[in-house]
Amino acid sequence: MKKFLRWFILGGTLFFVAKTFRNNWLEVSAIRIDAVGWAILIVATSVTLLAHIWAGLIWTWILHEFNQSVSSVKFIQVYLKTNLSKYLPGNVWHYYGRIVVAKNANISPVIATFSVLLEPLLMATAALIVVVLFGSQLAIQDSSVWIQIFQLIGLLILLTAVHPWVLNPIIVFLYKLKNKGLQNEPINNFSLERYPFLPLLGELIFLGLRGTGFVLTVFALIPLNFQQIPLLFGAFSLAWVLGLVIPGAPGGLGVFEATAIAILQHRFPANLIISAIALYRIVSILAETCGAGLASLHQSLRSS
């Protein structure tokens, strides 16, 4: 049933995107990018690549919060090399790869797993903070104040879920369950001593970098004014977090595009915003590919 639901969601979102493209195909195909636009797209790709490198650094901060000493360079490389695995069916293989590497670095399997799972929780929390800040700009919120209330409730739930009062009892239980009957290290070595403010702040910067890449991609096709930037950041954050949490969408593929199009197509020329959103997917994948390539190259140069 879960597998069917995942494929149903993915199929539905891809159908919506395909239908929107078909309805606007003539206008989309007529769009041309000038030299300045290509330069802006290069900057957008570079900013998106920087965001992924920064996200790898945040992962090391999360491990430090669990009192684990790790090599920042090595774990950033692992983060970048596993990034493309999220596009494989299941949308879990990038997490699996990071857990395996962390375990091989003599990190407890429980902590390795929690560090990887805490990252998307913090990402989602950061995205909801941005949505709440810029929520009044989103067209979908004009209909009811209840949507804003639900977003605030969701944000409070996420902020509570990453509190040590919630996480530590779960970590202790799972650690004792996995190491039952064995000589264990002190539990304090594997628990959060404080609220993960630094990783959460890092995720806000990550969202800022990703959102900047998106805004630049739109700017490569559409002239923008300052008042439109909060709308684009809010739309990006909402579309991105839905792509992160909705099952059945590897890398948020389809869900991100469908949400962003639904929000922005009535605020901007439909053909231009659809093209920009499709172009941003290419920019994102290109940045992730460059990141994986650079990480592999750096690793091979250091080992030679």
Side-chain angles (χ1 to χ4, degrees):
M1 188 63 187
K2 290 181 180 179
K3 184 177 181 181
F4 173 79
L5 180 61
R6 287 197 299 267
W7 283 109
F8 177 79
I9 293 172
L10 179 59
T13 53
L14 291 179
F15 174 78
F16 171 79
V17 173
K19 183 176 182 297
T20 305
F21 266 97
R22 187 190 67 179
N23 294 342
N24 297 272
W25 175 248
L26 289 178
E27 294 88 349
V28 170
S29 61
I31 292 174
R32 298 293 180 267
I33 304 175
D34 57 19
V36 174
W38 284 113
I40 295 173
L41 287 176
I42 292 173
V43 176
T45 305
S46 302
V47 171
T48 306
L49 171 59
L50 177 61
H52 290 297
I53 296 173
W54 179 258
L57 180 63
I58 296 172
W59 182 33
T60 67
W61 292 354
I62 293 173
L63 286 166
H64 291 159
E65 293 289 333
F66 286 107
N67 301 305
Q68 306 299 305
S69 178
V70 296
S71 167
S72 296
V73 173
K74 177 183 176 181
F75 276 69
I76 290 173
Q77 289 175 346
V78 171
Y79 189 95
L80 294 174
K81 289 169 65 177
T82 56
N83 239 354
L84 289 173
S85 301
K86 66 185 176 185
Y87 293 105
L88 296 175
N91 197 23
V92 296
W93 299 109
H94 54 310
Y95 298 140
Y96 176 76
R98 293 165 195 169
I99 291 172
V100 170
V101 171
K103 287 167 60 179
N104 292 339
N106 296 322
I107 294 175
S108 163
V110 173
I111 298 304
T113 303
F114 260 88
S115 72
V116 168
L117 295 181
L118 183 57
E119 185 212 12
L121 272 177
L122 291 171
M123 283 182 170
T125 305
L128 273 182
I129 290 174
V130 176
V131 170
V132 169
L133 289 176
F134 300 126
S136 60
Q137 302 289 328
L138 302 182
I140 61 169
Q141 289 191 332
D142 292 342
S143 58
S144 175
V145 71
W146 286 106
I147 298 177
Q148 298 181 31
I149 294 174
F150 286 137
Q151 287 181 348
L152 284 172
I153 292 173
L155 177 58
L156 289 174
I157 291 173
L158 286 174
L159 288 171
T160 304
V162 297
H163 197 285
W165 293 348
V166 176
L167 288 180
N168 283 344
I170 300 174
I171 295 171
V172 170
F173 172 77
L174 292 178
Y175 183 76
K176 288 182 176 180
L177 185 67
K178 185 171 182 61
N179 296 277
K180 190 175 182 179
L182 301 177
Q183 184 68 30
N184 301 332
E185 295 186 45
I187 292 297
N188 289 337
N189 292 346
F190 302 102
S191 59
L192 286 173
E193 296 179 355
R194 57 186 177 272
Y195 195 89
F197 282 113
L198 182 60
L200 180 57
L201 176 61
E203 298 296 1
L204 282 169
I205 296 174
F206 167 78
L207 258 296
L209 291 170
R210 291 297 305 269
T212 300
F214 178 72
V215 171
L216 287 171
T217 304
V218 176
F219 184 52
L221 299 182
I222 308 171
L224 297 175
N225 57 56
F226 183 78
Q227 288 76 17
Q228 292 171 316
I229 293 177
L231 167 64
L232 290 172
F233 264 101
F236 169 81
S237 299
L238 180 58
W240 185 86
V241 74
L242 289 178
L244 179 69
V245 302
I246 290 180
L253 188 64
V255 174
F256 171 83
E257 287 80 1
T259 306
I261 290 172
I263 296 172
L264 297 173
Q265 65 179 344
H266 303 299
R267 296 292 191 94
F268 298 91
N271 60 321
L272 291 175
I273 200 65
I274 292 168
S275 299
I277 290 168
L279 198 57
Y280 180 73
R281 174 61 69 179
I282 298 174
V283 165
S284 183
I285 294 176
L286 181 60
E288 290 167 337
T289 304
C290 290
L294 289 173
S296 299
L297 178 62
H298 184 267
Q299 191 175 38
S300 62
L301 289 175
R302 291 194 64 180
S303 60
S304 62

